[in-house]
Amino acid sequence: MASKHPLRGRRRPAFERGDQHLVVVDLFAGCGGLTLGAAQAAQDHGLALSVPLAVDFEQAPVTVFKENFPKANVHVAPVESYFDGALGAKPTIAELTTREQVGDVDLLIGGPPCQGHSNLNNHTRRDDPKNRLYLRMARAAEILRPRVMVVENVPAVVHDSQQVVARTRTHLEKAGYKVAATGVELVQLGIPQTRRRHILLAVRSDALAAGLSVANLLEFAPQPTHDLRWAIGDLEHAGSERWIDAPSKMSPENQARIKWLIDEDEVNLPNDRRPECHRGDHSYVSMYGRLTWSQPAQTITSGFGSMGQGRYGHPSQPRTLTPHEAARIQGFPDYFHFDTTVTRTQLSVIIGNAVPPALSRVLTARLLETGVLGRETNARLDESA
């Protein structure tokens, strides 16, 4: 009997059910991609999920987070309102209150805003005040003292003009953490898209077993690679009344472009069929392009519904990707609900900005398998029994 496809299940696992918990705090949480991956890994290892705090500045992704993790303590607020002290300073009143309310934390995770670091952002690249929010993760670790902290971002974060990664690392090491960082190709983790991310991993010194280094923990065994057909092949002709399954409306010009690509079996649109502003010598060959069943997708962004924002033409249908397909390509199973009370534009931004759950799932599993997570969790619960 073939194993069940990991993205097609519609019944949500009971992540919160169990006697022993993995306690997770998610900052800059978005819709909960990092939390979902941690929950999946915890369940695989017999632990239940507990989220005493999750925070994001935007209401729309928090709405999605709450829908999918109804028992989590989720808030719409700036992360810096919970962790407002200077690095290395004594805890503020707000930070003491946060620490008292949250309690012991196993895993602190976060994906600070990364638009300022992105190579697509030519105006404020690497010099954006939002980039300094990365440092709030270090402050949160100082206050909460989690066993492990994971910070996810774009690879270009290492070139930030304020050196946020180096400064975060320095402060964490002063606070008693062992730190390592690496770039990760998500296709190697089983995600069907070409997407690179930067991971900073900090482990409290007393959580590391003898002979184990933090750098060792970032050495992942390659997962089976998956193409686009594996991710969304079953949705090729799927009809649904849910708007998450409806593609964006296309202009007559773009309808003609995608039809031409399909009829001619081409993946790149020639210059003479592009809008005049996108002709001539350029490196953006993916724009107005068509995806290929046998390859991973390009990086999913909030523009996945527009041919003019990337290679988002469907491989066989005269349309762009639907939100459902984009979520699948990000690695979100069908039991994860995006179509709550948000607008279509918000939905595109939420999915495009989401962190693929496989990233935290693979890393959390590694931390559990090596005993970095799990041992103290279980001992703490045994003492309170």
Side-chain angles (χ1 to χ4, degrees):
M1 182 178 177
S3 59
K4 189 173 182 179
H5 196 292
L7 299 180
R8 298 179 188 176
R10 297 184 179 181
R11 178 175 295 179
R12 179 189 185 274
F15 291 125
E16 297 81 6
R17 184 179 301 164
D19 296 328
Q20 299 174 333
H21 289 72
L22 182 71
V23 181
V24 176
V25 168
D26 194 345
L27 305 181
F28 310 102
C31 68
L34 286 172
T35 290
L36 176 60
Q40 292 170 331
Q43 186 184 62
D44 291 340
H45 291 78
L47 293 174
L49 174 74
S50 176
V51 183
L53 180 65
V55 181
D56 194 90
F57 184 72
E58 299 288 344
Q59 177 65 61
V62 167
T63 298
V64 176
F65 195 117
K66 287 182 176 179
E67 175 76 12
N68 289 281
F69 298 101
K71 293 187 178 181
N73 182 28
V74 194
H75 295 277
V76 180
V79 166
E80 56 269 36
S81 68
Y82 288 86
F83 304 98
D84 59 345
L87 287 171
K90 291 182 178 180
T92 66
I93 293 175
E95 290 170 335
L96 290 171
T97 300
T98 300
R99 184 165 66 191
E100 181 180 357
Q101 292 176 346
V102 169
D104 293 330
V105 178
D106 298 308
L107 178 61
L108 170 64
I109 53 181
C114 61
Q115 287 85 352
H117 305 304
S118 173
N119 286 330
L120 297 175
N121 186 346
N122 292 320
H123 300 292
T124 61
R125 184 185 301 173
R126 299 165 187 160
D127 190 19
D128 186 324
K130 291 193 296 293
N131 297 355
R132 281 135 234 181
L133 293 174
Y134 195 103
L135 296 169
R136 290 297 90 192
M137 293 298 299
R139 181 58 175 174
E142 286 182 337
I143 299 302
L144 298 180
R145 303 294 300 165
R147 284 177 70 83
V148 177
M149 183 180 79
V150 177
V151 189
E152 175 273 346
N153 218 275
V154 295
V157 67
V158 298
H159 303 301
D160 173 68
S161 64
Q162 299 297 312
Q163 298 182 317
V164 291
V165 174
R167 290 165 63 192
T168 294
R169 182 169 190 155
T170 297
H171 281 284
L172 289 169
E173 288 172 346
K174 288 180 180 178
Y177 285 83
K178 301 295 184 182
V179 186
T182 191
V184 180
E185 294 279 2
L186 295 193
V187 72
Q188 296 179 354
L189 303 184
I191 295 297
Q193 65 171 302
T194 54
R195 190 187 195 107
R196 280 182 56 81
R197 305 306 286 178
H198 180 270
I199 298 298
L200 181 141
L201 173 64
V203 179
R204 212 171 61 209
S205 297
D206 62 346
L208 277 175
L212 184 65
S213 73
V214 181
N216 293 150
L217 297 171
L218 290 174
E219 296 172 355
F220 307 125
Q223 305 295 307
T225 56
H226 296 300
D227 59 22
L228 195 64
R229 187 177 294 280
W230 174 88
I232 65 170
D234 63 311
L235 302 177
E236 182 179 8
H237 303 289
S240 170
E241 295 181 357
R242 297 190 308 160
W243 56 308
I244 196 170
D245 286 309
S248 298
K249 292 182 180 179
M250 302 177 71
S251 67
E253 293 81 7
N254 280 341
Q255 288 177 3
R257 290 177 181 124
I258 185 65
K259 185 177 185 304
W260 185 91
L261 289 170
I262 293 172
D263 290 346
E264 300 297 323
D265 195 24
E266 295 285 349
V267 294
N268 296 325
L269 197 68
N271 263 330
D272 61 0
R273 292 185 174 272
R274 291 171 173 266
E276 288 189 12
C277 59
H278 289 157
R279 294 180 186 177
D281 294 331
H282 57 79
S283 59
Y284 303 112
V285 295
S286 65
M287 293 175 67
Y288 297 96
R290 182 171 66 98
L291 293 159
T292 304
W293 281 127
S294 60
Q295 299 292 328
Q298 77 160 67
T299 299
I300 294 296
T301 69
S302 59
F304 64 79
S306 170
M307 287 189 70
Q309 295 194 46
R311 190 182 302 282
Y312 298 129
H314 191 275
S316 65
Q317 304 300 308
R319 59 175 177 80
T320 52
L321 295 172
T322 67
H324 190 174
E325 289 168 331
R328 284 268 197 95
I329 295 168
Q330 288 277 57
F332 284 91
D334 286 352
Y335 61 72
F336 195 92
H337 296 151
F338 285 95
D339 50 351
T340 54
T341 53
V342 297
T343 67
R344 188 177 184 91
T345 298
Q346 289 171 332
L347 187 64
S348 296
V349 172
I350 290 167
I351 293 173
N353 288 349
V355 181
L359 186 61
S360 54
R361 182 175 190 167
V362 171
L363 182 52
T364 303
R366 182 100 169 99
L367 295 167
L368 288 166
E369 289 160 3
T370 55
V372 173
L373 290 176
R375 292 177 302 177
E376 186 176 279
T377 302
N378 299 344
R380 186 172 66 234
L381 287 162
D382 289 342
E383 291 170 2
S384 63

